[in-house]
Amino acid sequence: YREMEGGGIEITAFMGPTADEDGEGSELVDLAVPAALDGKKVVRIGTEAYVGTVGYCRDRVRKITVPEGITSIGTSAFSGCQKLEELILPDSLTSLEESIASSCGLTEIAIPKGVVSVRENTFEGCDALQAIRVAGDNSVYAAQDGILYNKAKTTLLCCPQGLSGSFTIPENVTAVGDYAFAYCGSLTGITIGGNVASLGKYAFYSCANLEEINVPGNVRTIGENAFHYCNRIKKIVLNEGLITIGSEAFVLNNVLDTGIGMEALLIPASVTDIGNEAFAGNALPAINVAQGNKNYASEDGILYNSNKTILLTCPGGKISQGKVRIVVPSTVQSIAEDASDHYSGWPKKNVTLA
């Protein structure tokens, strides 16, 4: 441990009991974090302080109680405590950093009233987590049906990774936060509510069992990497009203999966901005653009700027395995660096300039 500037102790590493203290024990134990060391108050649990690479924490600890007086818990503080089923947090706690308990057995966690800062990936790696609870008198956060929201419940902040089946985003939600559904690998369906205006970056990152995405017209922005690594998606529906598609938003990494059977994508007329590699690495057979779009055009399933002077994206399903020769229109003056979709290994020899 170390003494922090301004006073108070930070626990930097817990080594577990000695062999003499523990004997030959193998039963699960409850662990209490000390409230004071050498007569000085403990105020912080540091990064990887109780990390489960220490055999005792990894294999033996069932419950951890954090005492009153501690105000912050660092990144990966309890990561790898594989037997951990219960984590008790104090009202004095004000902040939770990244991945505090990844690779643990927690199925539920309660955020106390004093917490004002939860990182977007605080619960990343908690694969068994089924519910997040929040104290009713917390001034910043709230929970509903085990999902974490801001206090007003207008922004959905975190869906526990253990959620399975289908989920409907409530009508009171206007924004889906960054990483909100990231790594929800058992999520099979998502219905986006009629008042959601934005999907944050990495919002559905690595939701590996989603097969269809329908983005309603009330959504104006899809953040970067929003559906990255949702490898089983077969159908993407984007509706009129959408304005921005972020970089790598639909990098699905299924371009070489010939059995995925993706349907062609239609870019609505309302879209004005598509980020770099937005559709890289997926098996889309064609990207088409709705009539009336003033910023983009398509021909033969290939995406161009509005006057077809720049080839922006040739979809991976069209060019995977080098079986199709692409004829570029005479209007094209340049090919975007990421148009070749390096995820699919597009052979440039198969491009013919008209």
Side-chain angles (χ1 to χ4, degrees), residues 8-326:
I9 295 294
E10 177 187 32
I11 295 175
T12 56
F14 173 72
M15 304 308 296
T18 66
D20 289 340
E21 292 170 333
D22 193 39
E24 298 296 326
S26 60
E27 71 281 359
L28 297 180
V29 299
D30 296 348
L31 182 65
V33 175
L37 290 168
D38 287 343
K40 297 178 181 179
K41 188 177 181 180
V42 175
V43 297
R44 173 174 166 80
I45 299 172
T47 298
E48 298 185 353
Y50 287 79
V51 74
T53 50
V54 177
Y56 184 82
C57 289
R58 183 190 63 218
D59 301 327
R60 298 283 305 283
V61 176
R62 182 197 70 84
K63 175 182 177 181
I64 296 176
T65 300
V66 180
E68 287 295 335
I70 288 180
T71 59
S72 65
I73 296 177
T75 300
S76 301
F78 304 111
S79 289
C81 297
Q82 297 176 6
K83 305 296 183 182
L84 184 63
E85 299 174 358
E86 190 174 3
L87 179 60
I88 307 298
L89 303 176
D91 287 340
S92 59
L93 191 67
T94 60
S95 67
L96 295 168
E97 296 180 13
E98 300 175 7
S99 304
I100 61 166
S102 60
S103 301
C104 294
L106 290 174
T107 58
E108 183 174 315
I109 192 164
I111 297 175
K113 66 178 182 180
V115 172
V116 296
S117 176
V118 177
R119 298 290 292 271
E120 61 263 17
N121 49 2
T122 286
F123 303 111
E124 181 180 317
C126 296
D127 297 336
L129 193 63
Q130 297 285 331
I132 300 169
R133 312 293 182 196
V134 178
D137 51 354
N138 186 292
S139 63
V140 177
Y141 300 105
Q144 180 177 316
D145 299 327
I147 311 295
L148 181 66
Y149 298 86
N150 66 337
K151 186 65 175 179
K153 296 183 182 177
T154 55
T155 300
L156 192 156
L157 297 172
C158 183
C159 176
Q161 288 179 208
L163 181 74
S164 61
S166 298
F167 181 77
T168 298
I169 297 174
E171 290 299 309
N172 50 285
V173 174
T174 59
V176 175
D178 297 345
Y179 295 88
F181 290 87
Y183 302 103
C184 288
S186 297
L187 189 67
T188 57
I190 185 73
T191 300
I192 299 172
N195 290 305
V196 174
S198 63
L199 305 179
K201 65 181 182 181
Y202 296 91
F204 297 91
Y205 183 84
S206 198
C207 289
N209 279 298
L210 287 179
E211 292 192 359
E212 182 173 334
I213 293 297
N214 189 326
V215 180
N218 45 278
V219 174
R220 299 292 183 257
T221 302
I222 299 174
E224 62 184 63
N225 295 280
F227 296 95
H228 199 142
Y229 289 146
C230 295
N231 298 345
R232 294 177 64 86
I233 288 181
K234 297 180 180 180
K235 183 178 182 180
I236 302 170
V237 178
L238 306 178
N239 287 279
E240 183 67 21
L242 181 65
I243 296 172
T244 302
I245 302 172
S247 299
E248 301 188 20
F250 293 96
V251 176
L252 305 183
N253 202 34
N254 63 7
V255 66
L256 299 180
D257 186 351
T258 56
I260 200 70
M262 285 194 75
E263 298 183 18
L265 174 70
L266 179 65
I267 304 293
S270 54
V271 171
T272 63
D273 185 24
I274 300 176
N276 294 335
E277 296 190 297
F279 305 105
N282 64 56
L284 284 168
I287 299 175
N288 301 314
V289 178
Q291 288 187 344
N293 190 301
K294 297 180 180 180
N295 295 276
Y296 298 98
S298 61
E299 182 175 321
D300 195 27
I302 298 172
L303 181 65
Y304 299 87
N305 65 338
S306 59
N307 55 9
K308 296 184 183 178
T309 58
I310 304 173
L311 190 158
L312 297 172
T313 302
C314 188
K318 189 177 184 68
I319 57 180
S320 62
Q321 303 177 12
K323 294 181 178 179
V324 177
R325 180 168 293 278
I326 307 300

Side-chain angles (χ1 to χ4, degrees), residues 330-341:
S330 58
T331 55
V332 171
Q333 299 174 9
S334 64
I335 298 175
E337 287 186 13
D338 58 346
S340 62
D341 187 357

